[in-house]
């Protein structure tokens, strides 16, 4: 058993150590009050965000093992900025840091790709210089929402959120010059609606919504006049509204029993004339709107399309 003197010396040692730790934390910018219990120190350190750092090259934090990162700014002299793979494959990262100056980006391909533990929300501002958004957040299965602003020069936006299986909200601004939107949100099984503002330059839309089993509404006209569209809506079992313009190849909606008459009418009205191509519709359309679908069938036939119900 300790004597009173030994007990007092031990208490003073603990008190002095705690005070020294508190001062060291403050020197590094960690906020902690004088009366905070020792149990709060660890959490204060874990939640601390270091001062802003400058990003001056691509792959800046590629494969970093860190769980948290400081707030950052794109170096003003790094303009336009190639920010591809900035946080790519950061397997332990729990949240994307705030980054200022993203409007300087010319390339954001794989910016946050394969960050498998990142949760919450991410916001990307308008991108006046960005030409590539390829796989910007592909395979971030814990991410909940994504917002990306207008990118008027972007030509490639394939697999933007492909494989983000926990995503419930995605907002993408105007991409008037985009050519490649393959797999845009493929595998995003919780997304119910999306608004798209594309131009008429799309060349590839294969698998764009593939596996989006909760997707009900796609607003905005998707001009696929010159595009490949294989499996574009494959597995979209809840789909109700979509406006595809200028189809020229086989397309299957038979796995979308809720597809609206308006969507079917727009598809056929805006379809190109072809030879020997087929549109597969759900049997529910014929059962519910027999007269309308008969008229649309005649219009489709005049353009070289066969209509098959399943």
């Amino acid at each position: 058993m300790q004597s009173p003197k030994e007990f007092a010396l031990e208490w003073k040692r603990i008190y002095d150590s705690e005070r020294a730790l508190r001062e060291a934390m403050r020197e590094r910018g960690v906020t902690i009050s004088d009366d905070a219990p020792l149990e709060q120190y660890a959490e204060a350190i874990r939640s601390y965000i270091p001062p802003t750092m400058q990003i001056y090259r691509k792959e800046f934090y590629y494969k970093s093992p860190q769980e948290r990162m400081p707030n950052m700014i794109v170096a003003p002299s790094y303009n336009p900025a190639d920010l591809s793979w900035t946080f790519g494959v950061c397997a332990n990262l729990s949240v994307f840091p705030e980054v200022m100056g993203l409007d300087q980006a010319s390339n954001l391909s794989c910016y946050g790709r394969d960050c498998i533990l990142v949760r919450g929300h991410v916001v990307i501002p308008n991108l006046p210089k960005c030409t590539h958004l390829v796989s910007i957040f592909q395979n971030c299965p814990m991410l909940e929402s994504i917002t990306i602003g207008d990118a008027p020069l972007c030509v490639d936006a394939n697999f933007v959120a492909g494989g983000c299986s926990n995503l419930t909200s995605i907002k993408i601004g105007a991409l008037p010059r985009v050519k490649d939107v393959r797999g845009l949100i493929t595998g995003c099984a919780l997304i119910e609606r999306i608004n798209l503002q594309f131009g008429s330059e799309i060349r590839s839309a294969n698998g764009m919504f593939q596996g989006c089993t909760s997707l009900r509404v796609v607003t905005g006209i998707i001009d696929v006049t010159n595009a490949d569209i294989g499996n574009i809506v494959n597995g979209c079992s809840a789909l109700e509204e979509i406006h595809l313009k200028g189809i020229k190849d086989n397309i299957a909606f038979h796995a979308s029993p809720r597809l609206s008459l308006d969507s079917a009418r727009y598809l056929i009205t805006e379809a190109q004339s072809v030879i020997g191509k087929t549109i597969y519709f759900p049997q529910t359309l014929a059962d519910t709107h027999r007269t309308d679908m008969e008229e649309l069938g005649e219009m489709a036939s005049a353009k070289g399309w066969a209509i098959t119900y399943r």
Side-chain angles (χ1 to χ4, degrees), residues 23 25 37 42 45 55 59 64 68 73 75 85 102 122 131 180 222 239 243 250 256 270 293 301 308:
E23 291 174 354
M25 290 167 65
I45 293 171
I55 298 174
E59 302 177 5
S64 169
R68 295 180 64 88
I73 185 170
W85 294 99
L102 285 178
V122 61
T131 58
D180 191 346
I222 303 174
L239 189 62
H243 290 86
N250 300 333
S256 305
E270 297 295 332
M293 292 310 298
S301 180
T308 298

Side-chain angles (χ1 to χ4, degrees), residues 125-148:
N126 290 338
L127 301 166
K129 302 177 182 180
C130 189
T131 58
H132 290 77
L133 291 169
V134 178
S135 300
I136 180 172
F137 296 115
Q138 185 178 6
N139 195 32
C140 293
M142 305 304 291
L143 201 58
E144 297 162 29
S145 80
I146 295 172
T147 298
I148 300 173

Side-chain angles (χ1 to χ4, degrees), residues 11-65:
W11 183 88
K12 185 176 185 303
R13 185 186 68 79
I14 295 173
Y15 176 81
D16 290 344
S17 296
E18 183 179 357
R19 183 176 60 182
L21 176 60
R22 188 165 57 242
E23 291 174 354
M25 290 167 65
R26 289 171 176 167
E27 288 172 3
R28 295 294 184 269
V30 181
T31 301
I32 192 78
S33 63
D34 288 338
D35 57 354
L38 192 59
E39 291 82 358
Q40 292 183 6
Y41 284 37
E43 181 57 31
I45 293 171
R46 290 192 185 100
S47 61
Y48 169 61
I49 299 176
T52 298
M53 294 184 62
Q54 287 197 345
I55 298 174
Y56 51 83
R57 60 174 173 81
K58 66 179 181 179
E59 302 177 5
F60 199 76
Y61 272 95
Y62 178 63
K63 289 190 175 181
S64 169

Side-chain angles (χ1 to χ4, degrees), residues 271-293:
Q272 299 183 57
S273 294
V274 297
I275 298 175
K277 300 298 183 179
T278 302
I279 300 172
Y280 297 89
F281 280 134
Q283 183 63 44
T284 50
L285 265 179
D287 294 342
T288 308
H289 305 286
R290 182 167 300 278
T291 301
D292 291 295
M293 292 310 298

